[in-house]
Amino acid sequence: MSLSSAPSSLSDSSSSQSDTLLQNEIIKEDPKDTLQQLADALPQSADALPHSTDSPSSLLLHENTRTPIPLHSRSAGRDVHIFDTHDRNTSIGGLILTAGVTNANLYAMIEIFVIFNGEYIIRNESDIMIEKNDSILLPGNYYINSPCINEMPLTRMVSQCTGTRVKAFADAVRSRDRRCVITRRVAINADRDKWTGFEAAHIFPLAFEGLWKEYNYGRWIKSPSNGEEIKGGKINSVQNGLLLSSDIHQLFDMYEFSINPDDNYKIVCFDRDGHGIAGNFFDQRPLDDPQRPADQLLRWHFRQAVLVNIKGAGEPIFEHDFPPGSDIMGSILQGPKAARRMEFELFSRLATQFDLTK
């Protein structure tokens, strides 16, 4: 098995080299001064103590808050393990099996992070070939031929959904959906413009607007029939949004589940399903709307979810609910992928107020 540095593809149907989001980094991983500048720029929560690497005031923190909150592993609890047939001792990926995942789904997900030089087959640990069909996938070890892994996911945390740039976006998403499009829980107070418990979520995160423009993802957004310009730019189009319950929004942003537009909009969970949504299908009502969510953006999110959860050991799961008094900046700076996480935290806040690409 060899590693490839060539970019993999992603297009309107599933592949175009210009659409692949690879290892794009706006800031480097190593400069500590850059990290501290970003830390200083982030707003502190009202109940959090200030963080400083040099100031004695950091001693005022409780002892247990000086230790970064431990990360959770996406590989823990996996009951499907994927191997290269030439190395049966090293897993190249895996998943936590949830309702609705089929043999054909396994083939499709593997093809997202593995390149093949021709036809290939998957076998189970009994050396029986797995048919590419709608039979329910069973737990166990699966072996594939000569893979070459090449695509890296974008680091993403829970995004912000309030700000002057996103107000029109939130209003448009609410008006179109009127309920959580995953659980179908209705916003019963919508007639009073009360949306407690519901949030307008970006499919493609606002914090990566620079990449959105660089790869021209705006071409997937249809212009409004009235010819009006989309407030906040095309990334804030209703076609890049979904109305979700607040807890479902967190799971969506963390790639705990996704929607596969190439499998009849099936909802695929990548961890234990506590909401009974795994194997269900996306709400049909938004799909019937002229300003429906763009299939290409749903496909992008699904690819990211596969890369984050199934490839290798999976990407880190970052803590976002910090207890009062926690050393938030310290936890981020001492954790993995600190620069990229700090960048996302900063940009996700500023981008709701300003276009950072101008």
Side-chain angles (χ1 to χ4, degrees), residues 69 157-158 250 254 317-322 341 345:
I69 294 177
M157 276 61 67
V158 176
Q250 291 185 11
M254 301 296 286
I317 300 175
F318 297 105
E319 180 60 64
H320 66 276
D321 184 16
F322 293 93
R341 183 180 182 189
E345 296 282 3

Side-chain angles (χ1 to χ4, degrees), residues 145-197:
N145 296 320
S146 302
C148 173
I149 304 172
N150 76 329
E151 186 171 347
M152 299 297 292
L154 288 176
T155 302
R156 180 176 184 173
M157 276 61 67
V158 176
S159 57
Q160 307 296 308
C161 56
T162 59
T164 53
R165 282 193 74 208
V166 295
K167 185 182 185 306
F169 164 80
D171 289 344
V173 171
R174 290 168 175 173
S175 177
R176 183 195 64 195
D177 295 347
R178 311 294 289 183
R179 64 183 182 183
C180 174
V181 295
I182 300 299
T183 65
R184 307 196 185 188
R185 180 166 72 92
V186 177
I188 59 174
N189 292 312
D191 59 322
R192 298 160 50 201
D193 199 29
K194 186 176 180 182
W195 298 90
T196 306

